[in-house]
Amino acid sequence: MADTLLRIENIKKFFHVKRGFPVAKTMTVRAVDGVSFEVKRGRSFGLVGESGCGKSTLGRALLRLVEPDSGSVTFDGQDVLSTNASDMRALRQRMQIIFQDPYSSLNPRKRIGAALVEPLLVHGLADKRQAHERVLKLLDEVGLPPDAANRFPHEFSGGQRQRIGIARALTVGPELIVADEPVSALDVSIQAQILLLLRELQESHNLSFVFISHDLGVVRFFCQDMAVMYLGRIVETGPIPRIFEEPLHPYTHILRDASPVPDPRQSRKFLHIEGEVPSAVNPPSGCHFHPRCPYAADICKKVSPDWHQVDAERGVACHLFDTGNTGPDYPKR
Amino acid sequence: MHTMPNSIQSSESNPDIILDVRKLRTSFRIAGEWHAAVRDISFTLRRNETLALVGESGCGKSVTALSVLDLVPSQNGRIEAEQIQFNGRNLLGLSEDEMREIRGNRISMIFQEPMTALNPVLSVGHQVAEALLYHRDMNKEEANRAALELLDQVKIPSASSRFKEYPHQFSGGMRQRVMIAMALACRPDIILADEPTTALDVTIQSQILALLGELKRDTGMSLIFITHNLGVVASIADRVAVMYAGNIVEIADVDSLFAHPTHPYTEALMRSIPRSDRDTETLHSIPGQVPPISRMPDGCRFAARCDLARPICRKLDPALQQINAGSTHEVACWVRGDHDLTAIEDRANG
């Protein structure tokens, strides 16, 4: 078993927002509400969920791009949240992020070469001449021509920009990359190019990924483990493909079956799904998923389910699973 | 050079065909020069059929829908066609007034982002009733009553209490339901749905697709469903047209297309999708990218990215042709089509 590179324990991040008119009331958005998981070295951990489930906030919180309210993040044995500013800078060389839309994270008036050289200089990893050579090598690694260094962000297509985003993350030689929906904005043929590139780089650089996505197909392809989030909480974790073959949480089951697959023989049946994702401002009592759950019992409305570690690899937060009272209809393949 | 397949030949004689588009070419003026975004495409739509137009960004699928409704900006856009026959009537050359009688009435449209398509300062009930006031001889009270029924029909919970609410008070999925209610208001023959579920979460997408399927069954309307998602195509389409760089490269019944993807582009697309229902050992990526509209190559536009390309592919443009005699599965490809390639290459070479 590979060793643990990143351990997240009971991370919480609440936002306070003012809503309402004419008298605004302060409300609390429980974006991430007590989340724990582990990422093994050299592996990819998928974070899956629908919009507003808190997966992006979690990705930023573990890098301290937003400061978590409580909990702990341990990276290679080091406590990330109590690290001071100068040590944090050193740590950031080892933990990087790729965004969904690399265009908005690039300075439109800066040539790609200059943008990629900057982190090397900031972190004191190279002098100017070395930095330039490193950048050319990086561009080649991500499949861009050397003359890309002299061009501006607007001159590139979406797929090429994501290659630039990947090159930027790689400049400082990270061990962990948080990839936040890195292929969601791309056409499928380009998406495949980027996924293959990431996989190749993962091997050559021994990278670990926290891979945030709403696309189960992409996660199944790229990751070895995953967690499903719903309204700020993890409802299920497990290895791939076991979690797809036998989902334990009703939400995982529904998410899997709602994901369209390119096969008309399988896709014709639409499952009946109740309701919409409720607001994280005022989440339902008990198990957050109970209003949409076809198996919800009384206890689900009142009590938030405890985490149930099924075996060394799998866990689920569901009362029905706890009590074994899953009935004949309970999701099984 | 090629024979017109039966499905295209017979529109006037076939009352089953609601829309018959022939040789549609829509061009845009870019830096003073005209470039075709949709290039001589032909397709038919049957009554109560769902035709999916599928392809990647910029392939011309949205422009095709906009062209049918004559919604291409006339300053920098130009629509040409042999015909756009709707219900036996050619839409080409109709006046703006006549087109207005068609739009939203006989053919209506649903867009990807309902928030930008809805008016933020009008209540949703009012917006649904609007089409009825305009196209139907109804007073306000009747239109409101009909609008409420429509909101019920698209399954907006407690529609009567939400009738006077505004778009911002609705979630993305509910806004899309409002859009569908508006499109349905006049009981159109055709709904053009342009990526209607792309901005939605998968569980909501599944609800909207189920709703559209039900409405199509109950009202007998036809649907042109534009999407880039082959999974969505598989779940909703009866027939599929795959577009690449302004051309239809393959058109077939949904089962036939997924069982026998024949154009190299269709095949590559299918192999580039990571699937959630089974393990994908390797993905097949398509090298390169779609050529820009101002620099389209001669011959088949996919040739530069195609593993099977032969010299002829870079010279001559292949037309849609049945994959074998009598088939409704058509493909535009020199290599995979039913051609005597040697003879054609000999002729091309002189």
Side-chain angles (χ1 to χ4, degrees):
Chain A
M1 199 84 211
D3 62 331
T4 301
L5 180 64
L6 180 78
R7 175 176 289 126
I8 311 291
E9 276 168 304
N10 205 18
I11 285 281
K12 289 188 182 179
K13 178 66 195 178
F14 297 173
F15 294 103
H16 304 283
V17 293
K18 289 199 163 138
R19 287 259 182 90
F21 182 84
V23 184
K25 273 195 286 188
T26 304
M27 297 187 187
T28 305
V29 181
R30 303 161 80 94
V32 178
D33 193 4
V35 164
S36 310
F37 63 89
E38 283 182 8
V39 182
K40 306 269 187 236
R41 200 183 287 275
R43 285 164 76 99
S44 301
F45 187 90
L47 269 181
V48 162
E50 297 181 280
S51 37
C53 74
K55 54 191 191 301
S56 288
T57 304
L58 177 58
R60 284 166 169 73
L62 65 91
L63 295 173
R64 289 179 73 186
L65 296 177
V66 295
E67 204 68 44
D69 297 337
S70 65
S72 79
V73 177
T74 316
F75 177 80
D76 201 15
Q78 194 176 348
D79 181 349
V80 175
L81 299 187
S82 63
T83 299
N84 65 32
S86 67
D87 289 346
M88 195 62 215
R89 179 178 285 192
L91 206 50
R92 287 240 159 85
Q93 287 178 31
R94 305 174 63 189
M95 307 166 78
Q96 284 287 315
I97 188 165
I98 302 171
F99 299 99
Q100 174 174 351
D101 175 14
Y103 191 54
S104 58
S105 58
L106 289 167
N107 184 338
R109 295 169 60 174
K110 204 166 195 168
R111 292 177 205 274
I112 298 307
L116 293 179
V117 160
E118 193 172 14
L120 289 168
L121 301 179
V122 167
H123 285 287
L125 294 175
D127 65 34
K128 265 193 167 166
R129 199 176 46 80
Q130 290 168 324
H132 187 68
E133 275 169 24
R134 283 273 286 279
V135 164
L136 289 182
K137 186 164 168 286
L138 271 171
L139 287 174
D140 182 52
E141 265 189 287
V142 300
L144 289 170
D147 71 348
N150 301 321
R151 282 146 65 188
F152 290 98
H154 76 263
E155 298 177 59
F156 296 90
S157 67
Q160 290 173 321
R161 279 175 201 154
Q162 197 51 285
R163 289 176 195 270
I164 295 166
I166 293 166
R168 189 205 53 77
L170 287 179
T171 46
V172 293
E175 291 153 63
L176 175 81
I177 292 180
V178 175
D180 189 356
E181 302 269 13
V183 295
S184 302
L186 306 174
D187 279 321
V188 279
S189 68
I190 309 297
Q191 168 177 295
Q193 291 176 2
I194 299 295
L195 286 173
L196 290 171
L197 171 67
L198 286 175
R199 195 176 247 194
E200 200 182 295
L201 294 169
Q202 175 166 35
E203 208 142 285
S204 58
H205 293 245
N206 193 27
L207 295 169
S208 308
F209 280 91
V210 173
F211 194 94
I212 300 168
S213 180
H214 68 281
D215 186 327
L216 291 189
V218 168
V219 168
R220 181 166 188 164
F221 172 74
F222 192 74
C223 302
Q224 292 82 45
D225 308 282
M226 71 182 238
V228 180
M229 287 186 77
Y230 191 77
L231 282 182
R233 296 178 186 163
I234 288 179
V235 298
E236 180 167 1
T237 60
I240 293 166
R242 272 182 76 196
I243 194 165
F244 282 93
E245 281 158 6
E246 193 199 355
L248 298 176
H249 197 284
Y251 179 61
T252 314
H253 187 261
I254 283 175
L255 207 54
R256 181 196 74 182
D257 287 0
S259 298
V261 292
D263 182 350
R265 287 164 305 177
Q266 285 190 41
S267 301
R268 287 291 160 167
K269 50 180 199 309
F270 291 105
L271 60 162
H272 181 71
I273 303 164
E274 283 294 323
E276 311 205 319
V277 185
S279 155
V281 174
N282 193 10
S285 61
C287 171
H288 287 348
F289 188 60
H290 86 259
R292 304 177 75 194
C293 182
Y295 314 102
D298 270 350
I299 186 171
C300 307
K301 295 172 190 156
K302 291 171 195 146
V303 186
S304 177
D306 288 330
W307 187 251
H308 187 105
Q309 195 65 35
V310 180
D311 55 35
E313 297 182 308
R314 301 196 66 174
V316 62
C318 178
H319 287 301
L320 298 170
F321 193 85
D322 280 353
T323 57
N325 182 23
T326 48
D329 295 339
Y330 193 72
K332 281 270 153 56
R333 193 164 229 194
Chain B
M1 201 172 73
H2 67 281
T3 49
M4 276 273 187
N6 294 332
S7 57
I8 294 184
Q9 269 174 353
S10 53
S11 81
E12 283 100 58
S13 54
N14 190 348
D16 192 37
I17 287 173
I18 184 88
L19 185 71
D20 187 348
V21 175
R22 280 194 215 169
K23 298 224 165 183
L24 171 68
R25 172 182 283 249
T26 306
S27 317
F28 293 94
R29 188 164 54 192
I30 300 162
E33 280 188 54
W34 290 92
H35 299 285
V38 166
R39 215 169 52 139
D40 304 332
I41 67 168
S42 302
F43 63 92
T44 57
L45 176 69
R46 298 195 190 91
R47 286 182 200 277
N48 204 20
E49 176 182 62
T50 301
L51 172 70
L53 295 183
V54 63
E56 300 182 281
S57 5
C59 71
K61 54 196 192 299
S62 294
V63 171
T64 302
L66 293 173
S67 303
V68 168
L69 282 178
D70 193 16
L71 287 173
V72 173
S74 57
Q75 267 190 336
N76 290 309
R78 187 167 73 191
I79 302 169
E80 299 155 284
E82 260 178 38
Q83 64 168 39
I84 301 176
Q85 191 103 347
F86 165 66
N87 232 346
R89 183 178 181 203
N90 196 350
L91 299 184
L92 276 181
L94 289 192
S95 69
E96 183 57 23
D97 280 351
E98 288 169 315
M99 269 318 285
R100 245 182 242 142
E101 275 304 301
I102 305 259
R103 285 188 211 123
N105 185 17
R106 308 306 338 138
I107 306 177
S108 55
M109 189 143 181
I110 306 170
F111 297 94
Q112 175 176 350
E113 202 3 277
M115 199 53 197
T116 53
L118 291 168
N119 188 331
V121 300
L122 295 176
S123 73
V124 298
H126 182 98
Q127 294 187 60
V128 176
E130 204 173 14
L132 294 163
L133 287 170
Y134 185 87
H135 289 293
R136 293 284 179 274
D137 189 22
M138 283 189 183
N139 63 32
K140 208 165 175 192
E141 212 174 296
E142 289 164 336
N144 280 346
R145 208 177 313 126
L148 184 56
E149 269 168 33
L150 284 160
L151 291 177
D152 265 331
Q153 197 182 3
V154 297
K155 297 180 186 150
I156 291 181
S158 42
S160 54
S161 64
R162 306 207 68 178
F163 193 81
K164 289 213 160 79
E165 288 187 11
Y166 293 86
H168 76 270
Q169 294 167 289
F170 282 62
S171 67
M174 286 300 151
R175 279 178 209 144
Q176 199 54 282
R177 285 172 197 268
V178 172
M179 283 295 298
I180 294 171
M182 288 169 67
L184 271 181
C186 295
R187 301 276 164 229
D189 297 311
I190 303 174
I191 289 185
L192 307 174
D194 188 358
E195 303 263 10
T197 61
T198 304
L200 305 174
D201 282 319
V202 285
T203 58
I204 310 302
Q205 165 168 284
S206 180
Q207 293 171 348
I208 297 288
L209 292 177
L211 173 69
L212 283 171
E214 261 173 62
L215 292 170
K216 177 202 155 210
R217 192 192 61 212
D218 297 346
T219 63
M221 67 179 177
S222 308
L223 208 55
I224 292 184
F225 196 101
I226 295 167
T227 180
H228 67 280
N229 188 328
L230 282 168
V232 169
V233 170
S235 61
I236 196 161
D238 299 315
R239 223 151 43 92
V240 188
V242 180
M243 294 189 68
Y244 184 80
N247 296 329
I248 291 178
V249 296
E250 184 162 7
I251 186 163
D253 292 338
V254 68
D255 292 326
S256 182
L257 186 90
F258 281 87
H260 315 285
T262 301
H263 196 282
Y265 175 64
T266 315
E267 194 184 23
L269 262 191
M270 302 251 187
R271 290 166 64 195
S272 69
I273 309 168
R275 293 177 61 151
S276 62
D277 62 330
R278 65 174 189 222
D279 288 333
T280 311
E281 287 300 313
T282 46
L283 286 182
H284 179 93
S285 73
I286 307 177
Q289 51 201 13
V290 184
I293 188 173
S294 53
R295 270 178 283 147
M296 282 294 170
D298 287 338
C300 171
R301 292 177 167 194
F302 186 62
R305 303 175 75 188
C306 183
D307 293 338
L308 306 177
R310 312 192 27 155
I312 180 96
C313 304
R314 295 172 202 277
K315 283 185 197 158
L316 286 179
D317 210 5
L320 269 182
Q321 205 188 32
Q322 292 150 278
I323 57 170
N324 43 49
S327 171
T328 54
H329 192 146
E330 296 169 29
V331 66
C333 176
W334 289 122
V335 180
R336 288 283 177 79
D338 186 15
H339 300 281
D340 181 355
L341 207 52
T342 349
I344 294 165
E345 277 177 340
D346 284 351
R347 224 180 314 149
N349 290 332

